[in-house]
Amino acid sequence: MSAVAQAPSLEPVSGHRLSVRRFARNRPAVAGLVVAVLFLLFCFVGPLLYPTDQTHTDLTQVNLPPSGAHWLGTDAVGHDELGRLMYGGKVSLLVGLASGLLATVVGTLWGAVAGYAGGWVDAAMMRVVDAGIAIPALFILLVFSAIATPGALGLIVILGLVSWLVPSRLVRAETLTLKNRDYILTLRAIGGTHGRAIVRHILPNSVSTIVVAATFQVADAILLVAYVSYLGLGVQPPSTDWGGMLSAGLTAAYSGRWWLIVPPGLAIILVVCAFNAIGDGLRDAFDVRGRG
């Protein structure tokens, strides 16, 4: 009997599948994704499985060490620390994700318009960006927070409006390379509008840059919220976030009550490292030069 040898399949693999494969081979990026998902479940699903009262104080349960009744002990006003970690994490992640998304949207639109318009429009718009980058975002955030102590929504808006500068430069650079492609020149030759060129062609082809920028913006926003809350200018009680928990537990740590500072500090480190690892993995996955 003779078997007919079949030639191996030579079907081309799409760019999206190649990107997914490259991301899956990046162990730190996959680990970061797992950590990020676990923290999202912990903060948003956890309170349903481990309900606690984070509004009212209970002075009979003050500064208790970890036990079966309170897995991470209690704080100075009797709040369950594990429940507070979930509650504070929900605020930190919501502010980080929402402000990172807002910063990416604003920066993407600004950079795309500047890069596509070119000339004096580009020069004027990018001078605004250069001036904004020269001022540290933390300083601007502290000034706004000192003038009017914001809630979660206020922090989202302020963080979004001080963090869009770097994404705008990245998207502008991508737009400069795309606007002279043949399909853009053809669209303009047949009378296509500038808005259509940006929305239908420039932005979809810049999605890799936009996604990577958004990931890093979320990590930066979570850190900025922690900085401001640690200084007492973040969300106010009874609300809290991980930075506020660090600030409240700092003095208690000197008294041996480690459970008030180690969990929120570890949560901030793990989440920020996770989003940075995801960003690095996405950047490598979308890098065409690294594909083999």
Side-chain angles (χ1 to χ4, degrees):
M1 296 179 61
S2 61
V4 179
Q6 294 184 350
S9 175
L10 297 178
E11 294 182 2
V13 181
S14 68
H16 294 297
R17 289 185 179 180
L18 283 174
S19 297
V20 171
R21 290 179 183 178
R22 287 176 58 82
F23 184 87
R25 291 198 298 265
N26 190 320
R27 292 184 179 180
V30 173
L33 181 61
V34 171
V35 170
V37 171
L38 289 177
F39 267 101
L40 287 171
L41 292 174
F42 173 76
C43 295
F44 291 92
V45 180
L48 302 177
L49 305 176
Y50 188 83
T52 58
D53 185 358
Q54 296 297 323
T55 303
H56 301 93
T57 61
D58 186 357
L59 299 182
T60 64
Q61 302 290 317
V62 173
N63 293 326
L64 296 179
S67 64
H70 302 284
W71 292 3
L72 285 180
T74 62
D75 63 10
V77 293
H79 291 145
D80 183 274
E81 189 69 4
L82 179 58
R84 199 134 185 94
L85 192 67
M86 298 175 184
Y87 184 74
K90 185 185 298 185
V91 174
S92 293
L93 290 175
L94 274 176
V95 172
L97 290 169
S99 60
L101 177 62
L102 177 60
T104 303
V105 170
V106 174
T108 295
L109 295 176
W110 188 279
V113 171
Y116 185 82
W120 67 269
V121 175
D122 179 32
M125 294 179 71
M126 296 315 295
R127 294 299 76 75
V128 174
V129 173
D130 293 339
I133 290 179
I135 305 174
L138 180 59
F139 174 77
I140 299 175
L141 188 58
L142 288 175
V143 171
F144 276 111
S145 299
I147 294 173
T149 303
L153 181 60
L155 281 175
I156 290 172
V157 174
I158 295 172
L159 277 171
L161 295 180
V162 301
S163 304
W164 61 271
L165 304 168
V166 173
S168 70
R169 299 187 73 171
L170 295 174
V171 174
R172 171 185 175 268
E174 189 74 13
T175 302
L176 290 174
T177 64
L178 291 173
K179 72 175 185 178
N180 292 322
R181 298 286 177 88
D182 290 341
Y183 53 86
I184 299 293
L185 297 176
T186 302
L187 175 66
R188 294 171 62 179
I190 63 176
T193 64
H194 299 311
R196 181 180 178 85
I198 293 175
V199 174
R200 296 294 298 274
H201 297 283
I202 298 293
L203 295 183
N205 284 284
S206 303
V207 65
S208 59
T209 300
I210 296 170
V211 170
V212 173
T215 308
F216 287 119
Q217 287 303 311
V218 171
D220 291 342
I222 292 173
L223 270 181
L224 284 173
V225 172
Y227 293 155
V228 174
S229 297
Y230 181 80
L231 297 175
L233 298 175
V235 294
Q236 298 301 301
S239 297
T240 191
D241 56 43
W242 287 335
M245 293 177 67
L246 274 179
S247 179
L250 183 60
T251 56
Y254 294 108
S255 303
R257 295 192 287 273
W258 57 268
W259 60 89
L260 297 180
I261 192 168
V262 171
L266 191 60
I268 293 173
I269 293 172
L270 287 176
V271 169
V272 171
C273 288
F275 277 102
N276 280 327
I278 294 171
D280 286 334
L282 289 173
R283 181 176 56 197
D284 293 341
F286 287 127
D287 186 4
V288 179
R289 293 169 299 177
R291 292 178 181 166

